Structures are given as C-alpha cells and as structure tokens.
Amino acid sequence: MKYDAQIYRPPKEYKSILLQVTSGCTHNKCKFCGMYRYTTFKMESLEQIEKDIIEASQHPFYKNSKRIFLLNGNPFVLKTERLLKIAELIHKHLPKIEVITTYSSIKDIEMKTDEELELLKKAGYNDLYLGIESGNQKALEFINKGNTVEEAIREMKRLDKFDYNYYAMILTGLMGKGIDKAIENGQLTGKMLSKVNCRGIFPMSVTLVPGTELWDLYVNGEYEEATEYDRLIELREIIENLKPEKTALISSAHNSNTMYIKGIVPRETERLLREIDEILTENSPEEMQEWIDRRRIML
Ligand code: SF4
C-alpha cells in the first residue's frame, strides 16, 4: 500500500483498510493544526488506488474488512465523479466492504449538490468525520477555520437529509485561558450540535504544536493556554447544553483529554455530568494541571 505522508485516522477506524486517495489538506490554514503543514495537496492516481485496493483484497488481515477509510486530509473534497469511481473500484475488488468512511470539511460538503450527496451515500460513502471544532463564531474566526457556524449547521442538516452517519470532532480550550471563555465556548458548541443529528461527538483538547500559528502566538505572549480546569469546565458545558433530537455518542477517548467520558446524550447526560462534577470537586485546578504534559502530545 502506498502512503506518502504521515497517516491520521480516527481511533474508531483501527480495523479499517487505510487507502490513500489524496495527500494533504486543501485548506491547511487552521491556526492550531500542524498535520499537513508541509504537505502539498495532491490526488493519488486511479491506477495506484486500484493497485492498493487489489493488494488489500489479497491481504489476510484486510480481505474480509467491512470498512475502508480514505486517507489523507479531506478526501471528500474530490469531485463526485472521482469519488464514485473510487467506490466502484472498492466494491469490485473488496465486495465485503459496507462502509466507505473519510474526513470531510464543511466546504467539501457545501460543494456537492443534493443529488451528488444522495449518489455518494448510495455508493457506500457514510461515516464522515467532520472537523467542527466549535460552535462559537469568534473561535472559528480566530483559528481561521474557513467556515462559519451557520454554514456548519446547514451542511450537517444536508447530511441529515440523506441519512448520513457523521461525527463532529470538537476542540476544547481553543480561545485560551479563562473560565468565561470556556463556558461561552462550551455552551455555544453544545447548542450548535443540538440543532443537528451527529451520530457521534468526539471532543479533543487543543494542544500547541511547534510550527503552527497558534504556537507562534503563544511564544510571543499573545496567547495563553487554557488550563486543564478550563477545558473540563468547557466539556461540562458542552454536555449540559447538548440536547439533540436523536441520541448521539459522546466519547473523549483521545490522548489530548485529561478525562475519559463516554455515554449517550441526552439519555445519559445526568451521569456524564455527575462524573465530571466528581472530578471537579475532588481535585484542585493545580492538581489537574499536573495530569497531562501537553508538550509531549500532538493532536
Ligand atoms: S484542522 Fe483539518 S481543515 Fe484545518 S488545516 Fe488541519 S487538516 Fe486542514
């Protein structure tokens, strides 16, 4: 299998076939993100893609896989015609595949018509991972996300219309130090995600990565990192304000988080809040600060 650059995949896709169809991210401007900073976006050739699919179909670990995860960056940006061709090759050589899953930006969805979204869903595209980050317009502008809160809600609603499974990846601590910022971000993110029907919500916490704009702001004293206490308060606010029409899984199983919570909202909201409150009352902000060394982890 051909892999040009470092691979990023969601934890849930640990058993999926990892197929490179693009390299890099077409946006590549989020202030906190160093994932594809030095990778120029390019498409993989269909010849190479088919070669890799055939290789996977002959591999003892992969040949019976039901899921395939398309790498890298934001493959859903590809034109519908190309995505359909890739799906055709996948189903031809890997007939047991049920789900084609990948990362997508809000802009990638916006570029597709309703008819195209419907066609892609029928071709097996489902389980899209979206970098939503925050429901706070100020935060999206600050990090240079490239879409507004309203656009994110509108595009997620279009996914709802065609019954896509999709997951919102969100980031606590984006606006930096301060309980007020944590509460505001948490409330706005929870309220935003209550308007749509994500299958899952995956909170992560912002971590400064050398080489990024956010790192430079920090080094120049223009950005103060959120404390671990702030981040947990923000997570609490998100959960308290999450009242989606359908149920959604929320899981903080990512090494950027200090606390692991997992449950179904709104059904288990009370339990999740209770678990967070226990941590908040039993530990001081100073103690929490020792729980994670953010200089040693990367997003
Ligand atoms: S966070 Fe996502 S959209 Fe933003 S630069 Fe990184 S990979 Fe691209």
Side-chain angles (χ1 to χ4, degrees):
M1 307 284 283
K2 182 184 171 198
Y3 300 115
D4 280 343
Q6 194 167 353
I7 290 171
Y8 296 95
R9 58 129 182 97
K12 186 173 183 287
E13 304 303 332
Y14 71 103
K15 282 202 288 193
S16 305
I17 299 172
L18 303 177
L19 177 70
Q20 177 171 295
V21 301
T22 58
S23 294
C25 160
T26 49
H27 179 57
N28 213 9
K29 289 188 190 124
C30 296
K31 265 190 189 132
F32 62 87
C33 176
M35 293 202 295
Y36 305 106
R37 195 120 302 222
Y38 305 106
T39 310
T40 307
F41 180 84
K42 72 174 170 61
M43 295 188 292
E44 191 51 77
S45 70
L46 286 173
E47 291 71 29
Q48 182 63 43
I49 291 172
E50 183 165 26
K51 204 168 148 217
D52 286 347
I53 294 171
I54 292 171
E55 187 181 333
S57 72
Q58 293 164 348
H59 193 283
F61 184 73
Y62 276 158
K63 66 181 181 189
N64 292 319
S65 295
K66 293 194 167 62
R67 298 174 69 90
I68 187 162
F69 182 77
L70 305 190
L71 303 166
N72 248 313
N74 55 328
F76 209 61
V77 73
L78 293 175
K79 289 216 159 62
T80 299
E81 196 183 19
R82 194 173 184 88
L83 287 170
L84 291 174
K85 181 68 193 163
I86 292 169
E88 188 188 315
L89 293 172
I90 290 170
H91 295 307
K92 177 177 164 195
H93 298 293
L94 290 158
K96 294 192 178 160
I97 290 289
E98 292 169 2
V99 178
I100 305 172
T101 163
T102 191
Y103 289 124
S104 171
S105 77
I106 290 300
K107 289 286 173 192
D108 302 341
I109 302 164
E110 190 181 274
M111 284 188 315
K112 295 183 168 55
T113 64
D114 279 8
E115 191 189 5
E116 289 176 312
L117 283 182
E118 200 170 8
L119 275 174
L120 289 165
K121 176 76 174 17
K122 281 188 186 142
Y125 287 91
N126 207 353
D127 283 26
L128 296 180
Y129 293 86
L130 314 178
I132 297 299
E133 327 302 2
S134 173
N136 180 356
Q137 184 59 29
K138 279 187 289 184
L140 295 190
E141 282 167 21
F142 170 62
I143 61 170
N144 200 14
K145 187 66 207 170
N147 64 260
T148 65
V149 171
E150 284 314 309
E151 285 167 346
I153 295 170
R154 186 186 68 213
E155 296 310 315
M156 285 190 277
K157 282 188 171 170
R158 288 183 68 224
L159 294 181
D160 285 334
K161 187 169 156 191
F162 296 107
D163 210 20
Y164 274 78
N165 284 341
Y166 61 94
Y167 306 98
M169 296 178 296
I170 53 175
L171 271 178
T172 59
L174 269 183
M175 293 301 275
K177 190 172 181 177
I179 300 278
D180 290 354
K181 290 177 189 165
I183 292 175
E184 184 187 24
N185 270 321
Q187 288 181 351
L188 289 169
T189 304
K191 284 180 183 160
M192 172 210 211
L193 295 175
S194 300
K195 294 182 180 163
V196 293
N197 287 308
C198 307
R199 179 77 174 251
I201 296 160
F202 301 139
M204 292 177 250
S205 203
V206 74
T207 298
L208 296 176
V209 178
T212 61
E213 281 181 66
L214 201 57
W215 173 267
D216 293 343
L217 288 177
Y218 164 74
V219 169
N220 295 333
E222 294 166 52
Y223 178 81
E224 233 184 325
E225 272 184 298
T227 65
E228 301 309 326
Y229 184 80
D230 294 338
R231 296 167 199 249
L232 207 49
I233 291 282
E234 185 171 341
L235 182 61
R236 191 194 186 287
E237 290 295 327
I238 292 168
I239 294 171
E240 192 168 29
N241 285 280
L242 260 175
K243 296 176 174 71
E245 195 186 318
K246 291 187 187 166
T247 55
L249 167 76
I250 182 161
S251 167
S252 66
H254 189 268
N255 64 357
S256 62
N257 296 312
T258 51
M259 185 181 174
Y260 175 57
I261 53 120
K262 185 179 181 185
I264 304 292
V265 288
R267 202 167 62 214
E268 295 180 287
T269 298
E270 290 306 315
R271 172 184 61 80
L272 293 168
L273 292 179
R274 219 169 32 244
E275 286 176 14
I276 296 176
D277 286 342
E278 270 171 32
I279 297 289
L280 287 170
T281 50
E282 287 171 12
N283 302 277
S284 70
E286 293 72 27
E287 281 169 323
M288 285 182 206
Q289 207 57 27
E290 303 296 317
W291 288 353
I292 193 163
D293 181 355
R294 292 199 176 270
R295 295 293 161 266
R296 296 181 65 129
I297 58 168
M298 301 272 280
L299 269 182

